[in-house]
Amino acid sequence: MDIDLARRGQFESVVDVVYEPLQRYFARRTQPADVSELLNDALLVIWRRLDQLPADDPLPWSYGVAKRCLANHRRGSQRRLRLVGKMIERAPRDSVALGTPMAEFDNPRLEAALAELDESDRELIRLWAWEQLEPREIAVVLDMTPNAVSLRLTRAKKTIVSSMERQNVAAAGQEGLGHRREPRP
Amino acid sequence: MNEELRDQLGRLDPMHPGVPVESAATTSSRARMEQIMNTPLIDKEDSLTTSIPQSSTIGERRRRNWMLLGGVAAAAVIAVGGAVIVGNRGGDGDTQIAAGPPLELSLGDSGVMSSCIMFDVAFLANMSPAFAGTATSVDGEVVTLTVDRWYAGGDAASVVLSGAAGSPALIDGFEFVAGQQYLITAAEGTVNFCGYSGPATPELTAAFEAAFAG
């Protein structure tokens, strides 16, 4: 009984830390209607694997659990649709919504730059910018080495910056052309 | 550049901190946690005899998923290489291991169990194929196991598990390591996770023994 109480107490402490971040994690990556079910799945795995959870920093490990739940969910959704005979096209890997930006913010060049990344690099960027994780924490989520995460993250950031610079130059060129085409008085 | 870029990217976040989410302190959150904490644990002895709570909404959802699985599985237990005895169920004792082509199962399309049903030995008893095997090679997405014992649904001497493209041989929190023994169940050619497959711990071995006892 004491062990059960201790386990419950440990789980409740972990849930206090991960409950809201996991909802945001799922909401960023799937349909709103699926968030609650995915949250249940992730919390169930955390409850069952509580003894494997790093007590000092449970969030990255919990994101790793969430990542697997989400992957299973996506495969299951596709599979269930196939089972009922619907013709579906496999969703492109890069079809995950980049999100609805804050109302007052519009940055189509940044969105275009993100769209140029492959999905695995885009997920690194999401974990860094949206989940606010550092490379060593992303490494826990993705089961990679921190060094590999750092290298790929740096490369992805450079790709984004280069893409935005390229778009800026192209836009400036368009504006220049526009000026030259103006009729002279 | 670093923090400025992070800040700009953060402004594209559809779930930025201004978007409210449910707090862990609400009544419904507490109810959700309570339900999860009442889930039987696979590593507890009493989980072998604990049934799914009838009033559980999580349980009901999982049962529905299981019924979907059961409905299609009855018609579609996949025989690969002629090595599978279709429709075999628990309770009819061990099956002999025969020479023949390996049984091929998928790791990647595990979505059938994506919503984990709570572990219950009664469900385990109906799973087919089910076997104990030792991983002889782990090569990226492909794991080969030598069958040590068939509990149900097959007689092949070896089984090949293949992951989906790009996925490592690491699912549901356990990793396949060469030389280690695993207990595996599958449906429709796809490995079941959620506690119904995993390393051959004494607890899972006891569950398989109880489920498939003659």
Side-chain angles (χ1 to χ4, degrees):
Chain A
M1 179 57 90
D2 287 345
I3 293 174
D4 282 351
L5 283 176
R7 186 182 182 93
R8 289 172 69 93
Q10 186 189 355
F11 181 66
E12 285 171 350
S13 300
V14 171
V15 169
D16 284 342
V17 174
V18 306
Y19 200 77
E20 294 189 22
L22 287 183
Q23 288 176 68
R24 293 188 191 281
Y25 175 93
F26 287 127
R28 286 167 180 139
R29 293 164 176 82
T30 190
Q31 302 294 323
D34 295 334
V35 171
S36 181
E37 180 174 334
L38 282 161
L39 182 63
N40 270 349
D41 290 346
L43 292 176
L44 187 61
V45 173
I46 291 170
W47 166 244
R48 287 181 45 217
R49 303 188 185 282
L50 208 51
D51 49 349
Q52 299 171 17
L53 182 141
D56 55 335
D57 191 10
L59 195 51
W61 186 89
S62 299
Y63 280 137
V65 170
K67 170 186 158 247
R68 292 192 190 96
C69 290
L70 187 63
N72 276 348
H73 175 81
R74 285 177 177 155
R75 287 192 289 265
S77 298
Q78 291 176 352
R79 185 174 178 283
R80 277 190 286 274
L81 286 171
R82 286 199 300 274
L83 281 175
V84 296
K86 290 187 177 176
M87 295 295 290
I88 58 164
E89 292 180 16
R90 180 175 287 269
R93 291 182 66 84
D94 59 358
S95 70
V96 175
L98 294 174
T100 307
M102 294 167 82
E104 70 276 19
F105 189 79
D106 186 26
N107 196 340
R109 288 175 194 168
L110 181 55
E111 291 187 57
L114 278 171
E116 287 178 20
L117 297 177
D118 67 33
E119 175 54 24
S120 59
D121 283 346
R122 195 156 46 236
E123 179 61 9
L124 276 179
I125 291 290
R126 285 192 203 103
L127 290 167
W128 175 67
W130 291 358
E131 271 77 31
Q132 294 280 305
L133 299 180
E134 299 307 319
R136 63 180 165 75
E137 297 170 315
I138 296 173
V140 174
V141 181
L142 300 179
D143 197 24
M144 296 168 61
T145 65
N147 194 39
V149 170
S150 289
L151 288 171
R152 280 184 48 190
L153 191 57
T154 301
R155 190 184 62 195
K157 286 186 237 176
K158 282 181 179 168
T159 303
I160 291 172
V161 171
S162 300
S163 170
M164 291 179 72
E165 286 173 352
R166 200 169 57 246
Q167 293 179 68
N168 288 340
V169 169
Q174 288 293 322
E175 285 174 14
L177 282 173
H179 284 304
R180 280 197 292 276
R181 281 175 187 162
E182 282 178 7
R184 292 181 180 177
Chain B
M1 178 277 269
N2 214 32
E3 284 312 308
E4 187 186 337
L5 179 60
R6 201 178 203 178
D7 182 58
Q8 286 185 25
L9 287 161
R11 288 167 185 266
L12 293 178
D13 182 0
M15 292 303 295
H16 55 82
V19 179
V21 292
E22 187 183 42
S23 154
T26 65
T27 307
S28 66
S29 300
R30 303 301 303 176
R32 184 200 298 266
M33 285 164 59
E34 196 58 40
Q35 201 148 52
I36 287 167
M37 288 189 288
N38 286 328
T39 304
L41 297 169
I42 188 172
D43 56 354
K44 291 178 67 172
E45 286 181 11
D46 59 6
S47 71
L48 299 181
T49 53
T50 306
S51 60
I52 291 176
Q54 292 302 307
S55 62
S56 156
T57 53
I58 295 176
E60 284 167 9
R61 176 169 59 76
R62 301 197 192 296
R63 241 185 344 271
R64 281 199 298 275
N65 289 344
W66 174 250
M67 288 168 72
L68 169 67
L69 165 65
V72 295
V77 171
I78 293 176
V80 180
V84 177
I85 301 167
V86 176
N88 191 12
R89 292 165 58 92
D92 51 1
D94 293 356
T95 309
Q96 295 299 309
I97 296 174
L103 172 64
E104 295 177 14
L105 298 172
S106 165
L107 284 170
D109 198 7
S110 60
V112 68
M113 298 292 287
S114 64
S115 296
C116 291
I117 55 174
M118 290 178 220
F119 186 83
D120 190 308
V121 75
F123 282 147
L124 182 61
N126 284 307
M127 289 182 174
S128 175
F131 66 94
T134 300
T136 51
S137 78
V138 180
D139 182 13
E141 300 157 12
V142 179
V143 181
T144 305
L145 301 116
T146 299
V147 176
D148 302 316
R149 175 180 174 183
W150 276 103
Y151 289 97
D155 65 355
S158 64
V159 178
V160 177
L161 311 179
S162 302
S167 72
L170 169 68
I171 301 184
D172 197 35
F174 71 86
E175 189 172 9
F176 286 98
V177 177
Q180 195 167 337
Q181 192 186 44
Y182 298 88
L183 293 162
I184 306 288
T185 65
E188 295 184 82
T190 300
V191 172
N192 298 324
F193 292 101
C194 297
Y196 290 93
S197 298
T201 60
E203 293 79 13
L204 191 56
T205 302
F208 269 61
E209 294 290 344
F212 298 104

